[in-house]
Amino acid sequence: MRTFGATLTVLAMIGCNNTDDSVLRGTVEVREVDVAPFAVGRVTSVTVDEGATVHRGDTLAVITAPRLAANLDLAEARLATARAVLRDLEAGSDPEQIEMAMADLVALEAEAARLTRDRDRVDGLLSSGAVSVQARDAAQTAAAAAQARVESGRARLALLRAGTRADQLAAARAEVRQAEAALASERASNADYVLLAPIDGVVLARLLEPGDLVSPAGAVVRLGDVTAPWVRVFVPARMLPGITVGDTAAIIPPGLRESGGDRIIGRIVAINPRAEFVTRAALTEEERADLLFGVKVEIADTTQRLKPGMPATVRLFPRVATP
């Protein structure tokens, strides 16, 4: 089997006996990666242009959703409340603490009542189109957060009045752990809306622009791994006995001549075991001669002269002469 580093001199010697069947046309291809979010959102910004080189971890785009910030605030508030309750239980309670907790609860209830009225008012305005859905969602989240604070305040007051027990401390610590996990989950969800490059590559296309809606089924940016391009050509069935995976090939970029030393070394990395572009039943010799098999030729070109989508000529060097 020929090695990938065979010299051009050897290629020229082998190529002297080739027929025109060994000269094939194909298109340069690369591995493509569509980058999309995990949930529905609106594109806030796209930070790269087509043709730009990116590295793994670079920011490609930022997506937003109506309730992201509100949900994060709610998770942070719940964690702060859980930690405060735990601190109070660990420190014990006294009459002054009970009085302060009662006053805090009154204030929390008043705030919750105000936010509930605001939520009801916004709900009424939504049907008339006076406010947006985002405003309604924010009002609902704020009211829910206020009610959660009220419930935490009531629980804190009840604990102070009853005194601290071992099981109460264990429950409070578990509540803190649960709130920490919820906050970490919300922060991870927010990070999912910042699209990062999963590979080193080149931006092949900006599929969406700021202001567009996007879903997990719709990509925002398409990347290409231009470090490992290939050309796919279709070889007649009669040539298959003379080629195998690992054989060397020559790729000639468009507009250049093979004789001028402009060809690039390639290597066959895959041969399709099934024929393409065939009739339903290839029964005659003529029909079998028309069978074509896809051959993938990997390109060894560090200069990146061959771009994705560019046509290229491929010369194969079969070992066995074809009839």
Side-chain angles (χ1 to χ4, degrees), residues 244-316:
T244 186
V245 172
D247 282 357
T248 303
I251 297 94
I252 301 94
L256 300 178
R257 297 179 304 170
E258 181 181 3
S259 60
D262 294 314
R263 58 186 177 179
I264 300 168
I265 298 296
R267 180 171 63 93
I268 297 176
V269 294
I271 299 175
N272 196 330
R274 299 185 63 181
E276 304 184 50
F277 305 122
V278 299
T279 56
R280 174 175 294 184
L283 301 178
T284 67
E285 290 295 332
E286 291 78 8
E287 288 173 330
R288 282 194 285 270
D290 290 337
L291 299 183
L292 297 176
F293 291 80
V295 174
K296 182 178 178 180
V297 181
E298 189 178 74
I299 304 169
D301 179 26
T302 58
T303 64
Q304 297 184 3
R305 286 182 292 171
L306 296 175
K307 307 297 183 182
M310 179 183 292
T313 301
V314 176
R315 178 179 287 279
L316 302 180

Side-chain angles (χ1 to χ4, degrees), residues 18-24 234-236 238-239 314-316 318 322-323:
N18 283 328
T19 66
D20 290 341
D21 287 338
S22 64
V23 179
L24 306 162
F234 295 93
V235 176
R238 58 182 175 273
M239 286 186 59
V314 176
R315 178 179 287 279
L316 302 180
T322 55

Side-chain angles (χ1 to χ4, degrees), residues 52-313:
T53 299
V54 297
H55 300 285
R56 182 184 180 93
D58 287 352
T59 298
L60 303 178
V62 178
I63 314 298
T64 188
R67 304 183 67 174
L68 282 180
N71 289 344
L72 183 60
D73 291 342
L74 179 59
E76 290 175 342
R78 286 175 174 169
L79 176 58
T81 301
R83 286 173 172 170
V85 171
L86 179 60
R87 285 195 300 269
D88 288 343
L89 288 175
E90 290 175 338
S93 59
D94 54 40
E96 290 78 9
Q97 287 180 319
I98 294 176
E99 291 180 4
M100 184 178 297
M102 293 175 63
D104 290 341
L105 179 59
V106 171
L108 290 172
E109 289 174 338
E111 178 67 8
R114 182 184 68 80
L115 291 174
T116 300
R117 290 193 298 271
D118 289 345
R119 180 200 62 192
D120 295 341
R121 178 176 58 82
V122 172
D123 283 342
L125 293 174
L126 179 64
S127 59
S128 63
V131 298
S132 64
V133 174
Q134 289 84 354
R136 190 275 310 273
D137 291 343
Q140 289 179 341
T141 302
Q147 187 59 40
R149 290 192 289 270
V150 168
E151 293 173 358
S152 296
R154 289 172 179 168
R156 177 170 176 264
L157 178 59
L159 287 173
L160 289 174
R161 285 172 171 169
T164 303
R165 301 193 307 269
D167 59 338
Q168 291 175 324
L169 281 173
R173 293 188 179 108
E175 183 68 22
V176 169
R177 291 194 297 270
Q178 183 178 359
E180 289 174 341
L183 179 57
S185 177
E186 287 298 329
R187 286 174 174 168
S189 296
N190 278 20
D192 289 341
Y193 285 84
V194 178
L195 302 186
L196 305 179
I199 61 170
D200 294 342
V202 171
V203 178
L204 299 180
R206 283 174 51 139
L207 303 175
L208 293 178
E209 295 296 332
D212 290 338
L213 289 174
V214 62
S215 68
V220 180
V221 175
R222 177 171 296 150
L223 301 181
D225 181 7
V226 297
T227 62
W230 72 84
V231 178
R232 191 180 306 278
V233 294
F234 295 93
V235 176
R238 58 182 175 273
M239 286 186 59
L240 285 184
I243 61 173
T244 186
V245 172
D247 282 357
T248 303
I251 297 94
I252 301 94
L256 300 178
R257 297 179 304 170
E258 181 181 3
S259 60
D262 294 314
R263 58 186 177 179
I264 300 168
I265 298 296
R267 180 171 63 93
I268 297 176
V269 294
I271 299 175
N272 196 330
R274 299 185 63 181
E276 304 184 50
F277 305 122
V278 299
T279 56
R280 174 175 294 184
L283 301 178
T284 67
E285 290 295 332
E286 291 78 8
E287 288 173 330
R288 282 194 285 270
D290 290 337
L291 299 183
L292 297 176
F293 291 80
V295 174
K296 182 178 178 180
V297 181
E298 189 178 74
I299 304 169
D301 179 26
T302 58
T303 64
Q304 297 184 3
R305 286 182 292 171
L306 296 175
K307 307 297 183 182
M310 179 183 292
T313 301

